[in-house]
Amino acid sequence: MSIAAKFEIEYLQYLDAEGKQVRDDLPEFAKDLGHMVELYKLMLSTRVFDAKSVALQRTGKLGTYASCLGHEAAHVGIGSAMKPEDVLAPSYREYGAQLYRGVQPREVYMYWGGDERGNDYQKEPARHDFAWSVPIATQCLHAAGSALAFKIRGEKRVAVCTIGDGGSSKGDFYGAINIAGAQNLPLVAVIVNNQWAISVPRKIQSGAPTLAQKGIAAGLHCIQVDGNDIIAVRKAMEDALERARNGQGGSVIEAVTYRLGDHTTADDARRYRGEQEVKDAWAKEPMKRLRAWLVAKGVWDDKKEEAWKAECDEWMDNEVNAYLETKTQPVTAMFDYTFAEVPADLAKQRDLVLSYENKGH
Amino acid sequence: MAQITLIEAVTQALAYEMKHDESVVVLGEDVGVNGGVFRATQGLQEKFGELRVLDTPLDETTIAGVTVGMAVQGMKPVAEAQFEGFIYPMMEQIACHAARMRNRTRGRLTVPAVWRAPWGGGIRAPEHHSEANEHLFTNIPGLRVVLPSSPARAYGLLLAAIRDPDPVIFLEPKRIYRQYKEEVPDDGEALPLDVCFVLRDGTDVTLVTWGAQVKECLEAADELARQGVSAEVIDVATLTPLDFDTIAESVQKTGRCVIVHEAPKTAGFGAEIAARVAEECLYELLAPVERVTGPDTHIPLFRLEMKYLPSVERIVEAAQRTLAAS
Ligand SMILES: Cc1ncc(C[n+]2csc(CCOP(=O)(O)OP(=O)(O)O)c2C)c(N)n1
Ligand SMILES: [Mg+2]
């Protein structure tokens, strides 16, 4: 028998669920404990931010919100590995990556609170990242197109897209990784496999044993990592980014994690999944293991945890206040960004809407 | 100066803009070595290389989505849908992202891209190669929908479309790709995207149309002239945002309006023009508005397709009805 081609998918993990280090070859960044503490702090602030968002929604101060509870390692791992000049095309839940790149909590609140200005990220490098993309998987092609632009212009930049396990079924995802392989584009596609697409479990999305292997058909580098282990996510990202930056091809990374919360605040996950499954998932969540590891290294303790939490609370309270104090845009804002300049025909409609406004209609 | 066809004018505009603006790239299926199935991109890959004239994988969703991504990065991609009938998988990217990126991000990110597609019937093509579906795009805010109807307008409007800071759907009437030649100086002069073109002045009836039907309307105007009727012919050219003022001025002068398009009648773009005439010109109207359009059926395969498309006779008849009414 002759074999035309053969493949395998590596699985990467450094910290197990208890925070025990399962391999000795720690990557460089993880040897810097000060940096690991920074990553832990951002994961914790992401969690505090997320809880605050859900609370805002429950008290009627936010519209529907998609929680990132349980995704902190995956998201911070992605965001922290990227360089400022790289571009992120997220879906709608990757706050950990976005906060790292300068998106402000108040901007997240504004977006989910019904104000487009939340997408007008003020700080670099987030300012040149894509905004949240609600139509599933479409953002993968924006990353591929960005990567194509970088290649044409000879820029050493990488485009990163994130996508869910559900989203990896959609043609846009396949289209993006396919053109990335065919054109050797600097693209890193991260499948954040949180086991659920609203109520539909992972096994209904695909018969493939890993989602990472989808990249093999496209000719990309593929790896599956423990998405609750930030060292694994960050390491896989660093390798993928470096290869892409050096013209050595794009990657698909599958980060295996779990959506601990409801799909969004409009969802009730108890309708479709059992308590035991969620309990088991909590035992593997990402904060606990990293905390245990840092505590064992002697660089973190309860006092530091409480102090940082208090700082996060204060930060989020400030952000919430800034959000709540934001005045609603003038009614004409809906016209002002439809085109670079308001066309004459549209200006007439704007005047009409403004006249309603002046009459209080 | 050389005389060129409409399709050659498309090529000439692409070449001009690619030469003068490095950020312009062309992408699609068979656009490279083959120069496009209609030869719109003939010779461009030789001139500008494989990266700026990019043969993509065969996936319309991919073409549309990477076009959005490149445009957000500051390039000016001109994507080709090989035929209008294959543009449907592109619509999610066009409607959900291209058309609303500026609005979504309050102007932070924009999509200065063009989607070109050979449009309309009349070339004895197979199924799905003859669609006229401009009305599916005219109802999407944030898009410009443009249809040239002559070599000179194809050149000038395509240049304007590429330079425009917002997404443009550029639909090329393939029936008249090679119908006639005219002189089109390669001077880089764009035409405005915010006006209708009055192609012939008249006083008795206004014929409003776009794309390939401009030809039938001009011939109908000739025939009407022989009957002593003076018809004004307007090529709408840019459907949205619409320059209705030019149409209103004409209809207020003639008192009669015949709208001609090959897309199906119901909710075709002619319905929008008729509604505006009712809103703004009702008291000047001397006769009910007439529409000469494709029926609300699929365009038949080619043995019947010319019976589907508006003909000179049907247009003349409709104009005569408006004259008989008063
Ligand atoms: C094209 C499209 N279809 C359907 C939806 C509705 N929808 C929103 S999120 C979602 C599930 C996505 O699951 P997954 O890709 O796993 O991402 P996750 O929400 O788990 O992060 C669906 C079906 C949508 N937003 N876009
Ligand atoms: Mg999921």
Side-chain angles (χ1 to χ4, degrees):
Chain A
M1 184 181 67
S2 55
I3 298 204
K6 221 174 167 175
F7 311 100
E8 50 189 25
I9 299 293
E10 182 193 343
Y11 176 78
L12 188 64
Q13 186 195 44
Y14 291 89
L15 300 183
D16 71 9
E18 270 66 54
K20 199 162 97 264
Q21 202 176 311
V22 296
R23 41 193 295 173
D24 298 328
D25 56 338
L26 273 190
E28 275 314 304
F29 71 85
K31 292 178 190 160
D32 177 351
L33 290 175
H35 183 63
M36 292 311 296
V37 166
E38 285 310 308
L39 293 182
Y40 178 76
K41 283 166 78 176
L42 190 69
M43 285 167 62
L44 189 54
S45 53
T46 303
R47 188 163 281 191
V48 172
F49 153 80
D50 192 66
K52 184 70 79 180
S53 310
V54 173
L56 279 175
Q57 193 279 336
R58 297 288 183 233
T59 51
K61 296 190 179 96
L62 214 58
T64 302
Y65 170 77
S67 156
C68 66
L69 185 64
H71 302 71
E72 296 85 357
H75 293 166
V76 174
I78 293 164
S80 67
M82 293 173 66
K83 291 198 173 176
E85 63 268 29
D86 297 337
V87 162
L88 177 66
S91 66
Y92 41 77
R93 202 192 281 289
E94 294 83 345
Y95 316 114
Q98 293 183 300
L99 294 178
Y100 199 98
R101 289 179 62 76
V103 170
Q104 304 172 77
R106 69 185 69 177
E107 291 168 337
V108 186
Y109 299 145
M110 280 166 84
Y111 179 67
W112 295 107
D115 188 328
E116 290 88 349
R117 288 174 298 181
N119 284 326
D120 188 10
Y121 310 143
Q122 293 300 309
K123 293 192 178 165
E124 291 288 358
R127 187 148 182 81
H128 67 258
D129 285 344
F130 285 83
W132 293 288
S133 179
V134 173
I136 297 294
T138 50
Q139 74 277 7
C140 299
L141 285 165
H142 304 162
S146 300
L148 193 48
F150 301 157
K151 178 182 169 183
I152 292 171
R153 296 196 296 235
E155 298 169 354
K156 281 202 149 196
R157 301 166 67 187
V158 185
V160 175
C161 61
T162 51
I163 172 96
D165 43 303
S168 78
S169 298
K170 200 158 171 272
D172 306 53
F173 167 73
Y174 287 104
I177 61 174
N178 184 55
I179 194 170
Q183 289 288 336
N184 193 30
L185 300 181
L187 175 80
V188 176
V190 188
I191 303 173
V192 181
N193 173 6
N194 62 10
Q195 312 306 328
W196 291 94
I198 310 185
S199 69
V200 180
R202 153 69 180 86
K203 68 173 189 295
I204 287 185
Q205 297 298 339
S206 170
T210 72
L211 298 178
Q213 75 197 68
K214 294 186 178 197
I216 286 174
L220 302 192
H221 303 271
C222 304
I223 189 168
Q224 188 188 62
V225 305
D226 183 338
N228 290 345
D229 171 10
I230 190 165
I231 304 180
V233 177
R234 167 77 178 255
K235 169 70 171 132
M237 277 300 291
E238 281 190 353
D239 291 349
L241 288 164
E242 185 173 313
R243 275 192 305 264
R245 214 179 299 285
N246 296 330
Q248 292 163 334
S251 296
V252 172
I253 299 171
E254 178 187 2
V256 181
T257 180
Y258 192 87
R259 197 194 77 210
L260 292 171
D262 293 331
H263 170 67
T264 65
T265 50
D267 175 49
D268 178 2
R270 289 171 304 184
R271 292 166 57 84
Y272 51 79
R273 66 183 188 188
E275 266 175 50
Q276 192 54 46
E277 175 183 321
V278 181
K279 243 190 194 153
D280 293 347
W282 267 106
K284 296 186 207 152
E285 68 91 27
M287 309 290 309
K288 197 182 78 179
R289 68 178 75 184
L290 183 57
R291 188 189 310 122
W293 187 73
L294 291 173
V295 169
K297 297 265 179 207
V299 291
W300 195 253
D301 55 32
D302 284 351
K303 227 175 98 197
K304 285 185 174 146
E305 176 106 1
E306 286 319 308
W308 177 244
K309 260 195 188 154
E311 246 181 85
C312 290
D313 277 335
E314 202 186 309
W315 176 24
M316 295 314 152
D317 285 345
N318 265 337
E319 292 294 311
V320 170
N321 286 340
Y323 158 64
L324 294 176
E325 280 165 15
T326 313
K327 289 210 172 63
T328 301
Q329 301 172 92
V331 65
T332 48
M334 74 173 89
F335 294 90
D336 292 344
Y337 303 93
T338 306
F339 296 96
E341 280 170 39
V342 182
D345 196 50
L346 195 56
K348 289 182 196 161
Q349 296 181 19
R350 184 182 58 186
D351 293 346
L352 180 67
V353 168
L354 196 57
S355 77
Y356 295 153
E357 178 83 350
N358 294 339
K359 284 183 260 176
H361 295 182
Chain B
M1 199 186 310
Q3 305 247 327
I4 58 173
T5 61
L6 194 156
I7 184 86
E8 287 164 342
V10 168
T11 316
Q12 180 172 299
L14 290 171
Y16 183 94
E17 209 56 10
M18 292 190 79
K19 187 172 157 201
H20 290 86
D21 182 350
E22 272 208 334
S23 64
V24 179
V25 296
V26 165
L27 68 160
E29 295 156 9
D30 306 292
V31 300
V33 179
N34 196 35
V37 293
F38 286 101
R39 307 291 173 260
T41 54
Q42 175 111 319
L44 295 183
Q45 195 178 63
E46 270 167 42
K47 271 192 209 132
F48 301 106
E50 284 179 15
L51 277 181
R52 288 186 66 201
V53 183
L54 187 87
D55 273 328
T56 64
L58 205 169
D59 179 31
E60 281 70 20
T61 311
T62 296
I63 298 170
V66 300
T67 294
V68 171
M70 293 171 92
V72 165
Q73 297 309 329
M75 307 215 66
K76 295 194 160 175
V78 182
E80 178 177 294
Q82 202 159 63
F83 288 87
E84 182 68 1
F86 305 129
I87 209 166
Y88 300 107
M90 296 187 162
M91 290 197 69
E92 182 181 31
Q93 287 287 346
I94 292 171
C96 297
H97 292 297
R100 53 199 305 160
M101 190 69 75
R102 178 187 293 282
N103 184 64
R104 170 186 300 143
T105 62
R106 303 283 91 163
R108 183 172 65 85
L109 305 177
T110 60
V111 181
V114 178
W115 277 263
R116 298 179 36 247
W119 165 98
I123 64 157
R124 301 172 65 80
E127 195 183 0
H128 304 294
H129 292 66
S130 304
E131 324 299 299
N133 54 18
E134 64 276 18
H135 47 283
L136 299 182
F137 297 95
T138 53
N139 197 238
I140 299 174
L143 290 183
R144 288 194 159 76
V145 179
V146 180
L147 286 104
S149 64
S150 74
R153 282 188 293 280
Y155 180 77
L157 292 172
L158 182 52
L159 285 178
I162 300 172
R163 292 172 195 171
D164 194 86
D166 290 301
V168 178
I169 306 296
F170 194 82
L171 304 174
E172 299 164 5
K174 57 172 117 54
R175 180 157 63 92
I176 59 170
Y177 260 161
R178 298 186 167 81
Q179 194 168 57
Y180 67 95
K181 297 186 174 195
E182 68 182 358
E183 270 185 22
V184 183
D186 193 12
D187 54 9
E189 286 292 320
L191 285 168
L193 288 180
D194 56 357
V195 296
C196 300
F197 297 94
V198 180
L199 300 184
R200 182 168 309 182
D201 291 326
T203 50
D204 299 329
V205 57
T206 303
L207 308 181
V208 182
T209 191
W210 52 89
Q213 270 63 50
V214 165
K215 170 181 175 279
E216 277 73 29
C217 284
L218 288 170
E219 284 173 20
D222 287 341
E223 174 54 30
L224 288 164
R226 280 190 285 277
Q227 300 172 11
V229 176
S230 161
E232 185 145 303
V233 179
I234 295 180
D235 173 10
V236 179
T238 298
L239 272 51
T240 48
L242 178 64
D243 161 28
F244 186 68
D245 291 350
T246 297
I247 299 169
E249 210 174 288
S250 175
V251 174
Q252 282 158 0
K253 174 177 69 178
T254 63
R256 300 177 183 90
C257 180
V258 178
I259 303 158
V260 182
H261 63 68
E262 68 180 75
K265 182 172 193 169
T266 300
F269 194 68
E272 174 60 25
I273 294 180
R276 300 252 195 150
V277 168
E279 284 172 346
E280 295 187 32
C281 314
L282 187 69
Y283 298 118
E284 283 91 352
L285 279 181
L286 301 170
V289 171
E290 287 275 345
R291 279 187 286 167
V292 184
T293 71
D296 290 340
T297 69
H298 298 288
I299 184 166
L301 294 182
F302 60 81
R303 291 206 185 180
L304 285 177
E305 74 175 328
M306 294 316 287
K307 293 190 188 293
Y308 175 95
L309 300 175
S311 64
V312 175
E313 293 75 14
R314 292 182 199 174
I315 299 166
V316 168
E317 230 181 74
Q320 286 167 338
R321 274 196 301 275
T322 66
L323 285 147
S326 62

